[in-house]
Amino acid sequence: MKADIITIGDEILIGQITDTNSVFIAENLNIIGVTVRQIITVSDDKEVIKNAVDNSLQKADLVILSGGLGPTDDDKTKEALAEYFNSKLIENADVLEDIKRFVKSKNSSLNDRNIKQAEVPDKCKVIRNDNGTAAGMWFEKDKKVVVSMPAVPFEMKEMFENKVLNLIKEYFKTPHIIHKTIQTIGIPESELAEKLSDWEKNLDSKISLAYLPSPERIRLRLSITCDNVETATEKLDKEILELYKIIGKNIFGEGDVYLQDVIGEILLKNKKTLATAESCTGGNISRLITSVAGSSKYFKGSIVAYSNEVKQKILGVSPFTLMKQGAVSKETVEEMALGLLKVINSDYAIAVSGIAGPDGGTDEKPVGTIWIAVSDKYKCISKKYNFGNRRNVNVRLASSRAMDLLRNFIEGNITE
Amino acid sequence: MKADIITIGDEILIGQITDTNSVFIAENLNIIGVTVRQIITVSDDKEVIKNAVDNSLQKADLVILSGGLGPTDDDKTKEALAEYFNSKLIENADVLEDIKRFVKSKNSSLNDRNIKQAEVPDKCKVIRNDNGTAAGMWFEKDKKVVVSMPAVPFEMKEMFENKVLNLIKEYFKTPHIIHKTIQTIGIPESELAEKLSDWEKNLDSKISLAYLPSPERIRLRLSITCDNVETATEKLDKEILELYKIIGKNIFGEGDVYLQDVIGEILLKNKKTLATAESCTGGNISRLITSVAGSSKYFKGSIVAYSNEVKQKILGVSPFTLMKQGAVSKETVEEMALGLLKVINSDYAIAVSGIAGPDGGTDEKPVGTIWIAVSDKYKCISKKYNFGNRRNVNVRLASSRAMDLLRNFIEGNITE
């Protein structure tokens, strides 16, 4: 079956905000086996919205709208849908109750605009909104469905994940699909494809495989359409076991996790602490590690040693090393890691020094040259990388690779 | 005049990547006075692309496509446009030359697929690509225009900014519009609107004003359609002067700049250095400051003191202060700033300590309570903020407010 996504909002059409709602909706529809035919953004105009819905219904079985449900006069979606479905707007008691509760939770008081939001078309099924004042709507027509949701990402996501997806699965009797995602890092897509080619050839024909690459990582998504959840899950798990045999060291997690989550789990489990000494990454590793709620349990802190003075004075890197080998060298980055362990007294240290660019490169050490060390009190290992000449990409890749090196160090995957 | 934007790519429809190209194109069209009627994403399918172009041409004067010009078999845009415009694909010498030069610059060798990319429809004007192998195309039909560009953001942006925009201005004789953007921080939109209401009422009727809010800042864009650039610029400048009189302290820059750029310029100009001591922001301020190329000239480093141990041991915060006042207090954050100046010996210090959440809040200090101090060798000032209960928002807002407090401190805007 096919779906169209329509996002409504003048702010998108003037390039003021990026439409991330449609990305979220598309990804989740894809996961339940619904093909997204097109994504379209239109303005907050009643006739335009009606036309867009009508056009989409010609070719799609399901049309999902997001936006235009706010309390102000420029929000036109509800009126447009009421007219399109020859429906009257009537006050809905459930929605009014939700609005009252929400307004109260914000220590605010109910106004006329809020009350007007409780009016919904009489021909729709209401989808209640637990996080805001705009109710969702579900319309059916000739075995096709139109769903309308608010644009606030937080409200939309909750409504879509917890309510709309189930309604879609039920109404369209979508096939039961099980997905498992494997997160890999440190192996380019072409090499990964080559390493996996034999395995792929022998893959159960019912299982489909998707490569989902980003600069930092490649996700492998295995999907199977099934009648029996248990046997299907078994099949997937068997294949995932095979994957671990082939590229085990490059797999840092399963499901929807980031490296910083995995690092956090490992440190928590082992009751160990971490600190970082960062030069070219400028605090980005520290920022990523601390983006995880509860990271203060295992993260002690970071020394961002952007100047050689800080490398010497706080981390104790020898002036001789800095002069002889330079700030971007195996020796410096290892001294940074060991100095960090002394000064911060953590169990593990990550140290990074490199040339992020655009300036500072030489023939011997071009822009993108980055040294990473990881260490505990007994052992220190370091590796040299080159990620190219884009400053922000160098910072991103150095950060993820540094975390991955630590993961492999702790898990004992490194053989020098 | 009206434009439609069509982005082509299955990766967008499965939610794998976010379409940021259309945001860029929409924003830039808006700036030259072109109204974007709709943005639509369709799949890499020849018939679908032809249909989308045909539909758009019914209502739009200009249709801009991005995507589907790569060298692989699933790229269908060129074929679709050739068919739609009854055009033959013929090898173009200029394009072939561009491709050869590009391939050579990558130390790669020319293959059949590259050569095939030099074939373009004979009825289009070629828009040369300086950064890749896919040429852009410009078709004219009944006084309407269809433009096709590659999807790689870097290639598309360069082509659009430096070539396509000028072609559009020329062909459609778009009005000459001058824009000036003022960047404000630290004042909510409603308050800003109130402060500016008298000024807005008296604004020259030829000047239009747009509020462009984001969590960290609100941009004010003044636009004027003009025949005479000089008098129009004068008019805008006069209004901007008025703005400085009303909200001068909240203006951190003009044009397309970020706070970290402004801070960098001020420090460079004054030949001063900066360091940061970060607790709840976890290195994010340091990351932002170092995202600016050349920041090593004025940024010495950061101590991310995520644990009290680091606050004491490296920054010299007194254990008594930590015990009595707590880590999130005026006293602690000021001691962090002063300790930082001693240990890193920079001219200026920023220090931040707060409760980012979701845990750690108390009745007295709820989640979102954040103390920020800025200091030089003679003076230290600090302020308390509360940004609410979302962890990532707290980090973002604390970071931008801290940089803004430093800006005001250096510029002498703070009266205590």
Side-chain angles (χ1 to χ4, degrees), chain A residues 303-367:
Chain A
I303 309 293
V304 180
Y306 220 60
S307 64
N308 280 349
E309 193 187 330
V310 174
K311 289 187 189 79
Q312 277 183 49
K313 203 174 152 195
I314 302 183
L315 293 172
V317 176
S318 127
F320 185 79
T321 304
L322 287 169
M323 200 175 60
K324 276 293 201 189
Q325 318 292 343
V328 180
S329 65
K330 182 179 178 68
E331 291 79 5
T332 294
V333 83
E334 291 191 352
E335 287 185 32
M336 285 169 70
L338 296 171
L340 181 71
L341 286 181
K342 273 186 209 154
V343 70
I344 291 205
N345 195 32
S346 57
D347 297 305
Y348 295 107
I350 289 176
V352 183
S353 187
I355 302 152
D359 301 321
T362 62
D363 280 352
E364 201 196 338
K365 294 176 186 173
V367 167

Side-chain angles (χ1 to χ4, degrees), chain A residues 137-252:
Chain A
M137 294 171 275
W138 173 282
F139 296 90
E140 295 173 10
K141 187 190 179 186
D142 307 333
K143 296 195 176 159
K144 297 190 169 190
V145 168
V146 175
V147 183
S148 166
M149 297 188 292
V152 180
F154 175 64
E155 297 176 27
M156 183 281 294
K157 283 180 184 178
E158 195 278 335
M159 188 182 282
F160 190 72
E161 267 186 327
N162 299 333
K163 293 170 183 171
V164 175
L165 264 181
N166 289 330
L167 290 171
I168 293 170
K169 285 182 197 168
E170 221 169 89
Y171 187 87
F172 290 100
K173 298 185 180 55
T174 56
H176 199 92
I177 305 179
I178 301 175
H179 305 271
K180 296 226 171 184
T181 305
I182 297 299
Q183 307 265 3
T184 75
I185 185 170
I187 183 166
E189 191 174 354
S190 54
E191 198 184 316
L192 189 60
E194 197 159 313
K195 278 199 176 178
L196 299 184
S197 74
D198 282 344
W199 169 78
E200 261 192 85
K201 269 179 220 147
N202 297 318
L203 200 58
D204 191 317
S205 63
K206 282 181 185 158
I207 297 178
S208 68
L209 172 73
Y211 284 74
L212 307 170
S214 76
E216 281 101 344
R217 55 182 182 162
I218 299 169
R219 292 178 292 159
L220 296 173
R221 194 170 66 207
L222 293 159
S223 309
I224 187 167
T225 306
C226 66
D227 305 315
N228 183 314
V229 175
E230 212 168 302
T231 39
T233 307
E234 254 172 46
K235 266 189 188 145
L236 284 187
D237 287 343
K238 199 176 132 260
E239 295 300 344
I240 287 170
L241 260 183
E242 288 302 310
L243 274 179
Y244 273 94
K245 283 181 201 160
I246 310 167
I247 48 158
K249 287 178 190 174
N250 295 101
I251 296 174
F252 71 81

Side-chain angles (χ1 to χ4, degrees), chain A residues 114-126:
Chain A
N114 295 140
I115 293 169
K116 205 144 171 39
Q117 283 196 287
E119 290 180 4
V120 290
D122 58 359
K123 285 184 189 156
C124 82
K125 188 193 290 181
V126 162

Side-chain angles (χ1 to χ4, degrees), chain A residues 5-12 17 19-22 25 40-46 48-50 52-53 63-81 117 129 134-137 139 146-157 159-160:
Chain A
I5 299 171
I6 301 176
T7 55
I8 296 147
D10 292 338
E11 322 87 78
I12 303 172
I17 60 166
D19 169 26
T20 54
N21 282 355
S22 64
I25 297 169
I40 178 164
T41 304
V42 297
S43 70
D44 293 287
D45 179 294
K46 212 166 65 182
V48 168
I49 296 168
K50 281 161 69 179
V53 170
V63 181
I64 297 190
L65 289 81
S66 134
L69 298 183
T72 58
D73 293 336
D74 45 320
D75 290 300
K76 303 287 189 199
T77 305
K78 197 163 66 180
E79 274 176 68
L81 291 174
Q117 283 196 287
N129 183 347
M137 294 171 275
F139 296 90
V146 175
V147 183
S148 166
M149 297 188 292
V152 180
F154 175 64
E155 297 176 27
M156 183 281 294
K157 283 180 184 178
M159 188 182 282
F160 190 72

